Amino acid sequence: MSRNAGFITVEGIEGVGKSTNLEFIRNFLLSRGKEVVMTREPGGTPLAEEIRALLLDHMHDNMARDTELMLMFAARAQHIAEVIKPALSKGKWVVCDRFTDATYAYQGGGRGIDPKRIAQLEDWVQGKLRPDLTILLDTTPEIGLQRAASRRQTADRFEREQQGFFTRVRQCYLDRAQAEPNRFRVIDASASLDQVKRNIETVLTEFVGA
């Protein structure tokens, strides 16, 4: 049976190839006759994009971790109200570059914020809204950071973090995937791009249905 609508998120540390594979996911859904909304976090609306700029600007390296956490959810609240919920209510497919799993991974795993505090904000801001499918593109920080460095001109505030930070982020992602196997699909992003796309296509075919 084919799904009428769905909320798909794509997660992973820097350098896993999210941008390229998000386009592949979009094209797959369009080929199945789906109406697709592509969006990202933090961001996705004019206000949330302004918050994104604050979060990524390296001039704010002294930002308190609680400030960072609350800004993430402030942007998310606007994003959900303005983009995600309206699209889903109209039967559209929403594909989002990062969502709340990234907050658990980066602010929880990376910064050390208690996941119970993140969960409180998640419940408050999102209510019952959760992704239907989360594709985790996984690779080691060594590979991911090397790839990211080769393609960027200027590192943002997160990209300037040390390898240990991304090791913690990755482990948190993997722990969440293990805890929620029905929602997560882990894809080896260190494989060739063609292989990664084939693996994603298998996941999407199973999820979307005929």
Side-chain angles (χ1 to χ4, degrees):
M1 180 180 294
S2 177
R3 285 176 174 263
N4 293 323
F7 181 22
I8 299 174
T9 57
V10 180
E11 299 281 358
I13 64 171
E14 272 61 29
V16 293
K18 286 190 292 88
S19 298
T20 300
N21 289 297
L22 280 161
E23 184 65 17
F24 177 79
I25 293 168
R26 174 182 178 273
N27 290 335
F28 176 93
L29 293 172
L30 289 174
S31 74
R32 295 297 184 96
K34 311 300 184 184
E35 192 170 355
V36 184
V37 173
M38 304 294 295
T39 190
R40 70 176 182 176
E41 288 213 347
T45 76
L47 175 56
E49 289 291 334
E50 290 188 35
I51 297 174
R52 177 188 179 90
L54 290 173
L55 285 162
L56 299 188
D57 194 330
H58 65 83
M59 294 179 64
H60 302 304
D61 285 342
N62 63 342
M63 184 182 294
R65 64 180 190 173
D66 285 345
T67 303
E68 182 179 283
L69 175 65
M70 288 186 284
L71 283 174
M72 286 289 183
F73 273 102
R76 183 164 297 133
Q78 188 67 26
H79 189 206
I80 290 170
E82 193 173 337
V83 175
I84 297 175
K85 280 189 174 180
L88 292 173
S89 69
K90 294 176 182 177
K92 299 178 182 180
W93 286 71
V94 176
V95 180
C96 191
D97 180 353
R98 301 195 193 284
F99 194 61
T100 310
D101 292 300
T103 305
Y104 280 101
Y106 279 77
Q107 283 70 54
R111 303 286 190 224
I113 293 177
D114 187 339
K116 292 180 181 178
R117 294 177 59 204
I118 299 173
Q120 290 178 325
L121 288 170
E122 180 181 31
D123 289 340
W124 178 37
V125 170
Q126 297 172 217
K128 295 182 179 180
L129 177 68
R130 299 292 186 276
D132 299 305
L133 171 69
T134 297
I135 296 174
L136 174 58
L137 299 172
D138 177 60
T139 192
T140 65
E142 293 87 346
I143 293 174
L145 294 177
Q146 185 177 28
R147 287 178 178 174
S150 68
R151 62 169 169 76
R152 71 181 176 226
Q153 294 181 336
T154 303
D156 64 36
R157 198 168 62 86
F158 288 96
E159 291 171 336
R160 291 161 66 115
E161 291 290 344
Q162 299 299 310
Q163 185 171 309
F165 174 86
F166 292 104
T167 298
R168 297 191 299 274
V169 169
R170 182 199 185 200
Q171 188 58 55
C172 184
Y173 270 134
L174 292 173
D175 289 344
R176 290 183 65 74
Q178 185 175 25
E180 297 187 60
N182 291 333
R183 174 166 68 90
F184 275 88
R185 297 294 183 271
V186 181
I187 304 291
D188 181 4
S190 64
S192 69
L193 180 57
D194 286 344
Q195 183 61 56
V196 170
K197 288 181 177 179
R198 284 194 293 271
N199 292 341
I200 291 175
E201 184 173 16
T202 298
V203 168
L204 292 175
T205 301
E206 176 186 343
F207 178 72
V208 174

